[in-house]
């Protein structure tokens, strides 16, 4: 793979670790100045602009180019977090400052996430996308694991201010690497030089219409949305409730979460080493069915050992499913729509899926944990049915070139 891809991966990794340090330090800083309710407010504040602005972030990425957007976003995050580190060094910041930083960070994330997701097809050939997505997933797992321990070390040595300073430095490293990434300009369609540019609102509408009418992208995104709604709550709130009900304790939660993460990381590594997957569309649907069944069956596990095994299997097949889905979507997407398509996928993960968390908890109180887990797995399987029912998805193949 070319140097652009490695620089992008390095920048993405530094940004992810910085994110993990920032979020943990933000919660700790809030806990030192306010009570539990206010801490929850600070931690949730960033999710609001992220959900509200995510689709607009895709329009901006397509309008101004994803490279410019990710560079600008990283620069803003670097400066904002460094300023917060300075404020902590001079005194104890009030709750208002922490909420303001969380809101700004969430708004910048709404720009960063669609743009960084739109870069791989612009820096890698179609034959490299499966491998790149596998590496991206692996980086996400490693970055998510590395951030909290580094935050704890930095806070142990110098408090939240030191952790924010480390996060700012990582965003700075990401910025330097992104500045070295080069992408080819988009080819202009005939007559584009003379045509008036679309308004942002029209760009958003045309992007949504493009997804809705595309025979492969539309069904895959709908399939992924149903899967996220069905499995996100069981894998977060559900594992906590399951461990509490079965008496497995906090260590049981850790074992199940760790097993799922290890499975997903292993499948990501598999996709980087063996990127050629014949009949990718059919395999993606099959792995979605198997992964949905494994997650739903977690509540039927008679022992923690069985639950850990199911979580490991679920992570393995879900990692393959997700990597193939993203590669298929990005290969099929017209380059001029990459930001908007990426923003819709990100919005599903960070905007829609969390809405299922409170509904999951209420449903468990009403009907018990087993039927609700099974219902989540069934809803995810409906996503596989959506994909299987689309002829272009069933027949989808990924072209492979030289790595």
């Amino acid at each position: 793979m070319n140097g652009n891809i490695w620089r992008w991966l390095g920048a993405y990794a530094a940004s992810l670790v910085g994110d993990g340090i920032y979020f943990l330090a933000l919660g700790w800083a809030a806990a030192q100045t306010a009570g539990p309710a206010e801490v929850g407010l600070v931690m949730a504040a960033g999710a609001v602009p992220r959900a509200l602005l995510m689709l607009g972030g895709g329009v901006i990425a397509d309008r101004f180019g994803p490279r410019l957007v990710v560079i600008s976003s990283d620069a803003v995050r670097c400066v904002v977090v460094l300023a917060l580190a300075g404020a902590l060094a001079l005194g104890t910041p009030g709750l208002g400052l922490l909420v303001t930083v969380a809101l700004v960070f969430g708004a910048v994330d709404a720009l960063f996430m669609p743009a960084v997701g739109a870069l791989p097809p612009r820096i890698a050939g179609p034959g490299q996308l499966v491998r790149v997505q596998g590496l991206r997933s692996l980086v996400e797992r490693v970055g998510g694991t590395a951030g909290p321990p580094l935050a704890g070390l930095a806070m142990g040595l110098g408090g939240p201010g030191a952790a924010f300073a480390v996060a700012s430095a990582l965003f700075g490293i990401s910025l330097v690497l992104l500045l070295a990434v080069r992408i080819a300009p988009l080819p202009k369609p005939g007559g584009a030089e003379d045509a008036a540019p679309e308004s942002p609102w029209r760009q958003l509408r045309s992007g949504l219409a493009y997804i809705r009418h595309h025979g492969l992208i539309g069904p895959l995104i709908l399939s992924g949305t149903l899967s996220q709604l069905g499995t996100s709550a069981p894998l977060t709130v559900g594992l906590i409730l399951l461990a509490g009900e079965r008496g497995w304790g906090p260590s049981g939660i850790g074992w199940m979460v760790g097993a799922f993460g290890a499975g997903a990381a292993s499948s990501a590594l598999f996709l980087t080493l063996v990127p050629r997957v014949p009949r990718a569309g059919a395999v993606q649907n099959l792995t979605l069915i198997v992964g949905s069944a494994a997650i739903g069956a977690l509540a039927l596990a008679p022992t923690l050992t069985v639950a850990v095994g199911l979580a490991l299997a679920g992570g393995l097949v879900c990692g393959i499913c997700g990597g193939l889905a993203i590669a298929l979507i990005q290969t099929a997407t017209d380059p001029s729509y990459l930001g908007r398509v990426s923003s819709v996928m990100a919005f599903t993960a960070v905007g829609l899926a969390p809405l299922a968390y409170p509904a999951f908890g209420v449903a468990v109180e009403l009907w018990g944990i087993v039927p609700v887990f099974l219902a989540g797995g069934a809803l995810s399987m409906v996503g596989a049915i959506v994909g299987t029912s689309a002829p272009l998805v069933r027949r989808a193949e990924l072209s492979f070139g030289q790595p």
Side-chain angles (χ1 to χ4, degrees):
M1 291 188 291
N2 62 54
N4 265 341
I5 295 174
W6 291 115
R7 286 188 286 271
W8 173 79
L9 283 168
Y12 190 42
S15 180
L16 286 172
V17 177
D19 276 344
I21 294 173
Y22 158 79
F23 283 115
L24 195 60
L26 183 69
W28 188 254
Q32 291 183 323
T33 60
E38 288 80 5
V39 172
L41 172 65
V42 171
M43 298 302 288
V48 176
R50 195 180 298 119
L52 292 176
L53 302 176
M54 187 68 69
L55 296 180
V59 172
I60 292 173
D62 285 335
R63 197 174 186 87
F64 299 102
R67 180 176 178 271
L68 175 62
V69 175
V70 293
I71 288 172
S72 303
S73 302
D74 253 352
V76 172
R77 293 199 295 181
C78 180
V79 171
V80 168
V81 176
L82 183 60
L84 182 55
L88 281 167
L90 297 175
T92 301
L95 193 66
L97 176 61
L98 296 178
V99 170
T100 300
V101 169
L103 289 170
V104 172
F105 203 92
V108 174
D109 257 1
L111 301 176
F112 178 84
M113 293 173 70
V116 79
L119 274 177
R122 302 281 297 274
I123 60 177
Q128 298 173 315
L129 274 178
V130 175
R131 179 168 291 179
V132 170
Q133 294 303 338
L135 284 169
R136 177 185 178 181
S137 179
L138 187 60
V139 163
E140 288 172 346
R141 297 292 170 181
V142 173
T145 303
L150 287 175
L153 177 61
M155 286 192 290
L157 294 174
F164 285 127
V166 173
S168 178
L170 285 165
F171 293 138
I173 292 171
S174 176
L175 175 61
V176 170
L177 290 171
L178 286 171
L179 286 169
V181 172
R182 295 290 179 263
I183 63 175
L186 288 176
K188 290 186 177 182
E193 297 83 354
D194 303 321
E198 287 185 307
S199 68
W201 174 244
R202 289 203 57 165
Q203 275 191 294
L204 176 58
R205 290 180 58 190
S206 66
L208 295 176
Y210 174 81
I211 292 170
R212 186 172 65 251
H213 294 121
H214 198 289
L216 187 144
I217 297 171
L220 279 178
I221 287 183
L222 178 57
S223 172
T225 300
L226 293 171
S227 177
Q228 290 270 4
L229 289 172
T231 61
S232 289
L235 289 173
T236 50
V237 180
L239 292 184
I240 297 171
L241 298 177
L242 182 63
E245 181 179 288
R246 303 290 168 81
W248 296 336
S251 62
I253 302 172
W255 276 106
M256 289 185 287
V257 172
F260 189 89
S266 299
S267 62
L269 184 60
F270 167 79
L271 289 176
T272 66
L273 298 176
V274 189
R276 186 173 183 82
V277 181
R279 302 193 63 188
V283 171
Q284 191 272 334
N285 278 310
L286 178 61
T287 51
L288 179 54
I289 292 171
V290 175
S292 302
I295 293 169
L298 281 168
L300 300 175
T303 65
L304 177 59
T305 302
V306 175
V308 169
L310 285 170
L312 178 64
L316 280 168
V317 291
C318 288
I320 293 173
C321 170
L324 289 178
I326 294 173
L328 284 166
I329 289 170
Q330 292 193 328
T331 302
T333 301
D334 184 299
S336 62
Y337 287 95
L338 279 169
R340 281 163 284 181
V341 171
S342 295
S343 73
V344 171
M345 290 191 290
F347 175 73
T348 296
V350 304
L352 288 182
L355 297 179
Y357 296 174
F360 183 90
V362 171
V364 169
E365 288 186 356
L366 292 174
W367 299 299
I369 200 162
V370 172
V372 179
F373 256 85
L374 293 175
L379 178 59
S380 183
M381 285 188 184
V382 172
I385 294 173
V386 169
T388 304
S389 65
L392 287 182
V393 175
R394 289 198 307 270
R395 300 193 298 265
E397 296 280 2
L398 284 169
S399 59
F400 293 89
Q402 294 299 317

